[in-house]
């Protein structure tokens, strides 16, 4: 072989013993031994990777782990697909199931991007969204009875940023009796704290960007579905090119190794902080499902193994008071994400919901002094002292 050809072809795979950590397969395509194998793989007669938009060993290993975590302790047959972001997971799950004329039943208190996706993107394909309080199950039954075009019920529990909790089992039973497909966004809990598949949900989506990865260094998502939805979801995913990449899948896998440790710590720090804040004279209200004062505390305790790291609270006073509190924090970081190892704070009225009218904000429990916190795994004392000094 000439030297110029050797430059192109000279690197051989030198793997002898199995690598301890999952390798990153940074390859767009895979090699067929001969034309016949190519035909067998493309026709589905033989299993085999062909092109990384269709699947890749790194991504598939992490997807499979997510599927097993979601179905843990059940007999459910599920498949998982990793996507380029949490938003693409939501988009793929919905667009693979609905068509023009269909409606999606959902709740007012949702991740902001999801509300926008429904109202500005899906609406263009003549898919409408009905926003209602999914905690009110008789209202859900009535809405389903009056709208036979509802194909999917899409929900989050606990919800963002008001931390309302839904009874997953009861909600999914009603939807199932009407032939409505259920999709849960389980980003806040992860399968370590809550497994909607075990409670009757058809499809679960995650922004793995948050707790599953946990270190704020990757953007990716996941769809975990009952097997009967697998082909249509995979087909939409592959044709829209929303597949995850091997690097972000690998980062997610690294993060998941400490998921249990992190979620335990996030949950215990958050519970202690919620109790501290609830007793503080300058706090109006604390929204945390682990508090016995939370309206759905009993439901949360029954369907979650712990209460997670997300909370929100209202200060006494006005908008300026909320902003002043945020600016005094030294350890807690102002960042528009959640689920990282460090404590993050967000003031929805001056950031994520700045463009939402005051009236709309109030209807969804987003007051001018509402602060959303993603409690990290630092020492509880440090988080508490930082909040204490910012309040004083
Ligand atoms: C962040 C988030 C999303 C969107 O995920 P991305 O990875 O940012 O696309 C969806 N749902 C919830 C609850 C989230 O927190």
């Amino acid at each position: 072989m000439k030297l110029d050809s050797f430059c192109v072809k000279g690197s051989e795979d030198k793997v002898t013993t199995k690598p301890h950590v999952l390798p990153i397969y940074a390859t767009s395509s895979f090699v067929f031994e001969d034309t016949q194998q190519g035909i067998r793989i493309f026709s589905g007669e033989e299993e085999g990777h062909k092109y990384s938009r269709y699947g890749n060993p790194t991504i598939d290993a992490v997807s499979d782990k997510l599927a097993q975590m979601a179905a843990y302790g059940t007999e459910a047959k599920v498949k998982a697909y990793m996507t380029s972001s949490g938003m693409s997971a939501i988009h793929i799950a919905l667009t693979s199931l609905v068509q023009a004329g269909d409606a999606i039943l959902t709740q007012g208190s949702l991740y902001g991007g999801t509300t926008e996706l429904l109202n500005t993107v899906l609406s263009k394909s003549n898919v409408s969204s009905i926003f209602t309080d999914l905690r009110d199950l008789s209202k859900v039954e009535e809405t389903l009875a009056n709208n036979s075009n509802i194909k999917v019920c899409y929900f989050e529990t606990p919800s963002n940023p008001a931390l309302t909790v839904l009874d997953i089992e009861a909600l999914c039973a009603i939807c199932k009796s009407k032939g409505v497909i259920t999709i849960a966004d389980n980003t806040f809990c992860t399968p370590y704290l809550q497994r909607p598949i075990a409670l009757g949900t058809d499809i679960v989506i995650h922004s793995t960007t948050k707790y599953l990865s946990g270190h704020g260094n990757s953007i990716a998502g996941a769809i975990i579905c009952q097997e009967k939805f697998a082909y249509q979801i995979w087909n939409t995913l592959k044709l829209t090119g929303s597949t995850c990449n091997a690097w972000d899948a690998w980062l997610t896998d690294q993060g998941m190794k400490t998921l249990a440790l992190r979620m335990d710590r996030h949950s215990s720090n958050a519970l202690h902080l919620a109790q501290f804040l609830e007793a503080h004279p300058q706090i109006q209200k604390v929204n945390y499902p682990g508090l016995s004062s939370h309206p759905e505390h009993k439901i949360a305790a029954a369907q979650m193994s712990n209460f997670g790291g997300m909370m929100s609270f209202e200060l006494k006073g006005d908008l300026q008071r909320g902003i002043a509190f945020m600016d005094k924090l030294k350890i807690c970081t102002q960042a528009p994400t959640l689920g990282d190892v460090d404590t993050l704070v967000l003031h929805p009225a001056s950031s994520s919901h700045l463009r939402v009218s005051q009236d709309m904000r109030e209807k969804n429990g987003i007051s001018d002094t509402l602060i959303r916190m993603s409690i990290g795994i630092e020492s509880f004392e440090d988080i508490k002292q930082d909040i204490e000094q910012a309040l004083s």
Side-chain angles (χ1 to χ4, degrees), residues 84-88 90 111 114 154 156 160 185 187-188 205-210 219-221 337-338 372:
S84 57
S85 67
M87 287 313 302
S88 68
I90 299 167
Y111 179 72
T114 310
Y154 181 95
E156 267 175 37
N160 182 39
D185 180 341
T187 299
F188 276 21
I205 72 95
H206 286 280
S207 166
T208 64
T209 308
K210 314 294 169 52
I219 296 262
T337 187
L338 59 97
R372 186 190 80 181

Side-chain angles (χ1 to χ4, degrees), residues 167-189:
D167 185 336
I168 301 177
E169 199 165 16
L171 178 64
C172 291
I174 294 171
C175 291
K176 192 169 202 153
S177 73
K178 294 277 186 298
V180 170
I181 303 161
T182 45
I183 307 180
D185 180 341
N186 202 30
T187 299
F188 276 21
C189 288

Side-chain angles (χ1 to χ4, degrees), residues 61 102 183 186 192 229 249 251 294 323 342 357 368:
D102 288 343
I183 307 180
N186 202 30
Y192 183 66
F229 301 109
L251 282 170
H294 187 284
I323 291 173
D342 52 334
S357 71
D368 281 350

